[in-house]
Amino acid sequence: MDTQRRAGEEGPVPFRSSRFFCVGGKWYFTTREGFDSGPFASRERAEIGLKRFLHVVRMLPEQPEEPQLH
């Protein structure tokens, strides 16, 4: 768990966990949206997979926010 305060944060440090996890000797990464990707042969390969995923996401056009229904 990451217990470091990030730039601009105040107050208690929120709970954080690693984006990487291992199941049955295979590695995966998870996103904030709850998407799990894998399996990868090693943690290093999962880290490369996450970097590629984030690169693709940054290239996507921004979506307008959905209006909130009350």
Side-chain angles (χ1 to χ4, degrees), residues 7 9 20 25 27 32 36-37 39-40 44 46-47 51 64:
E9 280 187 337
F20 303 98
W27 284 89
R32 292 177 186 156
D36 295 340
S37 182
F40 296 93
E44 291 78 20
E47 290 172 359
K51 287 177 185 176

Side-chain angles (χ1 to χ4, degrees), residues 19-62:
R19 288 186 182 231
F20 303 98
F21 60 96
C22 184
V23 176
K26 301 292 183 181
W27 284 89
Y28 299 79
F29 70 83
T30 188
T31 68
R32 292 177 186 156
E33 296 78 20
F35 171 76
D36 295 340
S37 182
F40 296 93
S42 66
R43 181 180 172 121
E44 291 78 20
R45 292 296 223 173
E47 290 172 359
I48 291 168
L50 175 60
K51 287 177 185 176
R52 289 179 177 167
F53 172 82
L54 294 173
H55 176 75
V56 170
V57 167
R58 287 185 192 112
M59 293 184 343
L60 295 173
E62 286 195 35

